[in-house]
């Protein structure tokens, strides 16, 4: 799979790539309905599931890469290795070529960032 954030060799440019990965539910969340869905690189929040106002509409957020790791049996499942290939490998190659790079991971403690 190609990198979601452009060409692997960026010698004279800076780039910011924003990716999001939906994680599987942790033990205490099991049995709940998923309020987030991914279509291409767009994450949708379903307000009826997210316990928002009945008048709220579906919110959509676009990213350079959106990866779904919620269901290992799904064709669209993104494993740890595939996530690395899509988001981090280019950065490692960039650093090994003598350039700076930064990977920032944010999420709930204990969920496998």
């Amino acid at each position: 799979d190609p990198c979601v954030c452009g060409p692997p060799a960026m010698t004279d440019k800076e780039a910011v790539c924003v990716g999001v990965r939906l994680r599987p539910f942790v033990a205490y969340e099991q049995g709940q309905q998923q309020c987030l869905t991914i279509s291409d690189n767009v994450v949708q929040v379903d307000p009826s599931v997210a316990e928002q106002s009945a008048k709220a509409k579906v919110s959509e957020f676009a990213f350079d890469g959106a990866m779904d790791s919620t269901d290992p049996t799904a064709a669209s499942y993104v494993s740890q290795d595939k996530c690395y290939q899509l988001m981090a490998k280019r950065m490692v190659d960039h650093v090994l070529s003598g350039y700076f790079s930064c990977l920032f991971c944010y999420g709930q403690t204990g969920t496998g960032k």
Side-chain angles (χ1 to χ4, degrees):
D1 288 317
C3 176
V4 297
C5 295
M10 298 194 67
T11 56
D12 60 348
K13 299 178 186 176
E14 292 182 43
V16 174
C17 177
V18 180
V20 64
R21 183 179 183 196
L22 299 185
R23 62 167 175 77
F25 285 145
V26 292
Y28 69 87
E29 297 170 322
Q30 293 298 323
Q32 296 182 23
Q33 188 176 354
Q34 186 75 269
C35 67
L36 302 173
T37 58
I38 293 178
S39 178
D40 295 320
N41 288 326
V42 175
V43 177
Q44 294 181 333
V45 181
D46 183 341
S48 64
V49 179
E51 298 180 8
Q52 297 176 355
S53 165
K55 295 178 184 177
K57 57 183 176 182
V58 172
S59 299
E60 293 185 346
F61 303 92
F63 297 90
D64 295 308
M67 300 162 282
D68 190 348
S69 298
T70 58
D71 180 5
T73 63
S76 60
Y77 178 76
V78 176
S79 66
Q80 190 75 358
D81 181 60
K82 187 170 182 179
C83 180
Y84 170 80
Q85 296 299 324
L86 291 171
M87 298 301 296
K89 184 176 184 321
R90 178 180 73 102
M91 297 175 71
V92 171
D93 293 342
H94 198 72
V95 168
L96 294 174
S97 295
Y99 297 95
F100 293 108
S101 202
C102 176
L103 177 63
F104 177 77
C105 296
Y106 178 82
Q108 185 177 351
T109 301
T111 57
K113 291 175 289 308

